[in-house]
């Protein structure tokens, strides 16, 4: 049965497909396909797999209404592939001993402890610039992977153009992704412990009941339990470390799924985790070393500098891919204050050890007072790459929402690509019509398969 759609959009869509211009097709869909694709009732059904899930559904509806966007986002298959190429090239860089020696030299002590576990849910976050995808940052405890796997179950083709694009692509369904996520945690365990059975996982964050992504913690707990692994959600201060290992209320903890933003495990509440990390008595993932190797924002300075990469022994092919995909990034130093101030409108300032949007500023919004605080702190300045937009109808009005793209990555493999739609300076999950959105990769030619969520 045909799906109602705009004839003008159909013409644009088909013309772009015929020309092989998948980027133009994606732009046309983001601007012209304003219909709702999220089936809220189907989303409720996707979540209702446990007797305890009624409270979870209520939590999402009442206190987190903007966690999920009402529509999907469109990205060309070429851009999806380009992001994967950048990820793979950075993985090659990070594997080099010279890279590790360089970035660990400025890392905290806890990051220098060797580890065989790689770290789950690396998040490579991109904006789509004029020259293609541009890596804005890497995160080591990227949230939303499981939420987005489930979100993919609740999408419907809302117009002819989307139906065609969905037909043309092949993607993993939620059950496949969930199984891969569980296997990822087991792979982390095997890397450190061999074939010993993984029995228990503690999902750890500061005051977890107050965290905005608590629903995802609960979903992970259910997922682990369905796969025969005991799982708890706790604050790091609840953990105890003794000579016998790490425990939670007397129960042994095999593996910690670490959602803390205390990346170096230096806070007093993280004492038991820090002791367990140094003793090797529990597998912690992601861990301080992973953050230092990937997510310290000072690393972006190296990644955007071809001469520095060359000096570390990076091959020319990887250098070309990385430098093309990472906006120029500089360490902010007081000696160059006048220069940074003069160029501020073309820069985005971020604390080197920060996370999310805390302490981050667009240069064109800076006051002299805030700029002085930046000079006194440990900041990097990144060439500004404005996010692309997704036009939607929200509460009867047409609005342009900003869009960024997150690649969930494990050991160099992109598991899932998703979008976050928002208004304001940074992603906030407070925007009507915004939130996580599945990415549908638009094929470049008839019959060409894309990749998406």
């Amino acid at each position: 049965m045909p799906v109602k759609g705009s004839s003008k959009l159909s013409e644009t869509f088909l013309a772009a497909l015929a020309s092989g211009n998948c980027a133009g097709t994606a732009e046309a869909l983001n601007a012209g396909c304003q219909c709702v694709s999220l089936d809220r009732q189907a989303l409720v059904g996707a979540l209702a797999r446990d007797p305890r899930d009624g409270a979870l559904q209520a939590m999402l509806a009442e206190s987190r209404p903007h966690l999920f966007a009402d529509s999907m986002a469109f990205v060309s298959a070429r851009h999806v592939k380009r992001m994967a190429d950048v990820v793979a090239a950075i993985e090659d860089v990070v594997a080099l001993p010279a890279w590790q020696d360089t970035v660990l030299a400025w890392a905290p002590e806890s990051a220098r402890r060797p580890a065989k576990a790689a770290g789950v849910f690396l998040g490579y976050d991109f904006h789509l610039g004029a020259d293609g995808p541009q890596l804005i940052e890497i995160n080591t405890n990227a949230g939303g992977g499981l939420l987005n796997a489930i979100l993919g179950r609740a999408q419907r083709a809302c117009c002819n153009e989307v139906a065609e694009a969905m037909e043309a692509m092949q993607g993993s369904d939620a059950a496949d992704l969930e199984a891969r996520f569980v296997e990822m945690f087991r792979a982390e365990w095997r890397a450190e412990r061999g074939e010993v059975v993984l029995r228990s996982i503690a999902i750890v964050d500061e005051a977890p009941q107050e965290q905005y992504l608590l629903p995802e913690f609960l979903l992970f707990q259910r997922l682990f339990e369905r796969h025969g692994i005991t799982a708890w959600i706790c604050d790091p201060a609840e953990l105890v470390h003794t000579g016998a290992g790490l425990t939670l209320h007397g129960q042994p903890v095999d593996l910690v799924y670490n959602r803390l933003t205390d990346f170096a495990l230096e806070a007093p509440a993280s004492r038991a985790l820090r002791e367990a990390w140094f003793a090797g008595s529990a597998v912690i993932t992601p861990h301080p070393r992973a953050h230092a190797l990937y997510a310290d924002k000072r690393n972006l300075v190296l990644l955007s500098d071809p001469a520095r990469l060359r000096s570390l022994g990076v091959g020319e092919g990887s250098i070309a891919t990385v430098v093309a995909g990472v906006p120029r990034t500089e360490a902010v130093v007081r000696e160059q204050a006048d220069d940074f101030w003069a160029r501020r409108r073309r820069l985005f300032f971020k604390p080197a050890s920060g996370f999310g949007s805390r302490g981050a500023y667009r240069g064109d919004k800076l006051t002299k007072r805030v700029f002085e605080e930046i000079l006194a702190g440990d900041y990097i300045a990144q060439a500004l790459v404005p996010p692309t937009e997704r036009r939607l109808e929200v509460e009867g009005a047409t609005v342009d929402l900003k869009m960024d793209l997150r690649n969930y990555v494990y050991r160099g493999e992109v598991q899932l690509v998703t979008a976050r739609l928002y208004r304001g300076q940074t992603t906030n999950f407070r925007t009507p019509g915004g939130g996580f959105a599945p990415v549908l990769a638009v094929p470049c030619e008839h019959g060409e398969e894309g990749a998406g969520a």
Side-chain angles (χ1 to χ4, degrees):
M1 182 177 183
V3 185
K4 185 177 179 181
S6 159
S7 59
K8 183 178 179 182
L9 180 57
S10 296
E11 293 171 6
T12 304
F13 178 85
L14 293 174
L17 273 184
S19 70
N21 180 10
C22 54
T25 308
E27 290 174 4
L29 287 167
N30 282 325
C33 184
Q34 299 178 25
C35 49
V36 171
S37 64
L38 175 59
D39 185 334
R40 296 273 173 182
Q41 186 173 354
L43 179 62
V44 169
L47 292 169
R49 290 184 289 171
D50 187 284
R52 299 165 290 179
D53 284 341
L56 175 61
Q57 294 163 16
M59 184 189 307
L60 289 170
E62 294 169 9
S63 61
R64 295 158 175 83
H66 308 308
L67 184 57
F68 299 119
D70 286 329
S71 189
M72 60 182 64
F74 304 95
V75 181
S76 77
R78 287 175 183 162
H79 284 161
V80 171
K81 182 180 184 303
R82 187 64 179 173
M83 289 189 290
D85 290 343
V86 173
V87 168
I90 290 176
E91 290 286 334
D92 289 342
V93 172
V94 172
L96 293 173
W99 170 271
Q100 297 187 19
D101 290 343
T102 300
V103 300
L104 292 176
W106 59 55
E109 178 191 7
S110 56
R112 299 188 188 112
R113 175 197 179 280
K116 295 177 182 177
V120 296
F121 289 115
L122 276 178
Y124 284 72
D125 293 345
F126 290 83
H127 285 177
L128 291 181
D131 298 322
Q134 297 289 293
L135 180 70
I136 302 304
E137 61 185 22
I138 305 174
N139 297 286
T140 49
N141 60 354
L146 185 53
L147 289 169
N148 281 285
I150 294 171
L151 179 62
R153 285 192 185 129
Q155 301 299 313
R156 61 190 174 200
C158 59
C159 57
N160 289 326
E161 296 75 32
V162 174
E164 291 179 38
M166 290 178 76
E167 242 177 70
M169 62 165 282
Q170 299 292 325
S172 300
D173 64 26
D176 289 342
L177 281 169
E178 290 177 3
R180 288 170 68 190
F181 290 163
V182 173
E183 173 54 30
M184 173 174 61
F185 282 91
R186 286 185 164 140
E188 291 286 273
W189 174 254
R190 288 195 300 271
E192 298 285 354
R193 297 290 190 268
E195 294 303 318
V196 177
V197 175
L198 172 60
R199 298 162 301 174
S200 62
I201 295 177
I203 304 162
V204 179
D205 201 354
E206 181 181 1
Q209 299 301 319
E210 300 172 16
Q211 295 293 332
Y212 192 76
L213 288 184
L214 173 62
E216 184 169 59
F217 300 170
L218 294 167
L219 289 168
F220 268 113
Q221 183 181 36
R222 318 281 204 259
L223 176 63
F224 293 141
E225 289 173 348
R226 287 198 301 273
H227 285 79
I229 304 169
T230 300
W232 307 283
I233 301 168
C234 70
D235 184 279
E238 296 178 70
L239 295 166
V240 174
H241 184 257
T242 67
L246 191 66
T247 61
L248 175 66
H249 307 309
Q251 298 298 312
V253 174
D254 288 343
L255 182 145
V256 171
Y257 176 20
N258 177 20
R259 295 290 292 253
L260 292 167
T261 53
D262 174 23
F263 303 115
L265 305 179
E266 293 176 332
S270 302
R271 178 179 175 181
L273 274 179
R274 183 179 177 86
E275 291 175 354
W277 168 245
F278 278 110
S281 54
V283 176
I284 299 175
T285 182
H287 45 65
R289 188 179 184 88
H291 183 268
L293 293 178
Y294 290 94
D296 188 306
K297 292 183 177 57
R298 289 171 290 190
N299 298 0
L300 296 168
V301 177
L302 299 180
L303 290 172
S304 64
D305 185 338
R308 292 296 304 275
L309 291 175
R310 203 167 283 116
S311 72
L312 297 175
V314 181
E316 291 300 323
S318 293
I319 290 174
T321 300
V322 172
V323 171
V326 179
R328 184 178 180 230
T329 308
E330 308 163 77
V332 177
V333 293
R334 185 174 289 278
E335 291 75 14
Q336 299 174 21
D338 291 344
D339 177 52
F340 280 113
W341 180 255
R343 294 187 289 121
R344 69 190 184 282
R345 296 182 184 278
R346 303 191 301 275
L347 299 173
F348 199 97
F349 295 85
K350 302 177 184 180
S353 58
F355 61 93
S357 60
R358 297 191 182 187
Y361 303 96
R362 277 183 61 128
D364 57 357
K365 308 293 185 184
L366 279 184
T367 63
K368 278 284 192 179
R369 180 188 62 79
V370 173
F371 185 61
E372 182 59 34
E373 293 175 359
I374 288 172
L375 293 173
D378 186 9
Y379 268 73
I380 56 99
Q382 190 174 61
L384 181 64
V385 182
T388 47
E389 294 183 337
R390 174 75 172 98
R391 179 167 294 168
L392 292 172
E393 281 204 15
V394 179
E395 299 174 352
T398 300
V399 298
D400 290 322
L401 300 179
K402 296 175 183 177
M403 179 176 78
D404 67 17
L405 300 171
R406 170 164 286 179
N407 289 243
Y408 294 93
V409 176
Y410 181 63
R411 293 188 182 270
E413 178 189 2
V414 177
Q415 300 168 310
L416 176 65
V417 181
T418 190
R420 296 178 294 180
L421 306 181
Y422 61 98
R423 299 183 79 175
Q425 178 170 290
T426 54
T427 310
N428 52 29
F429 296 107
R430 302 294 191 275
T431 301
F436 285 122
V439 164
L440 194 151
V442 179
C444 296
E445 297 174 356
H446 288 296
E448 179 179 333
E449 292 184 355

